[in-house]
């Protein structure tokens, strides 16, 4: 039921985090504010392919 997804930084486009999400409850792309080690700041991270 839960799928593994990767989160990519919107600024530098690097894939920094991996997490799981429930495909039935959240059909749209997930977006969170996370720390990007390359940008060295908190940036929005969005689900990538």
């Amino acid at each position: 039921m839960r799928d593994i997804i990767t989160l990519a930084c919107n600024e530098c486009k690097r894939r920094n985090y991996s997490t799981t999400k429930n495909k039935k409850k959240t059909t749209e792309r997930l977006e969170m504010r996370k720390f990007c080690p390359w940008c060295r700041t908190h940036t929005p991270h969005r689900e990538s392919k």
Side-chain angles (χ1 to χ4, degrees):
M1 187 62 73
R2 296 186 74 80
D3 287 337
I4 298 172
I5 58 167
T6 56
L7 298 175
C9 177
N10 285 356
E11 306 285 321
C12 64
K13 307 297 186 210
R14 293 193 184 203
R15 294 182 177 136
N16 300 323
Y17 295 96
S18 63
T19 185
T20 62
K21 84 168 190 178
N22 189 337
K23 283 273 187 165
K24 284 193 175 182
K25 289 193 175 186
T26 55
T27 54
E28 66 278 351
R29 288 195 176 202
L30 194 64
E31 188 165 340
M32 297 180 180
R33 261 178 83 78
K34 299 283 246 174
F35 180 78
C36 178
W38 286 275
C39 299
R40 293 185 179 161
T41 183
H42 283 81
T43 57
H45 282 65
R46 192 163 191 196
E47 176 184 345
S48 63
K49 289 187 178 180

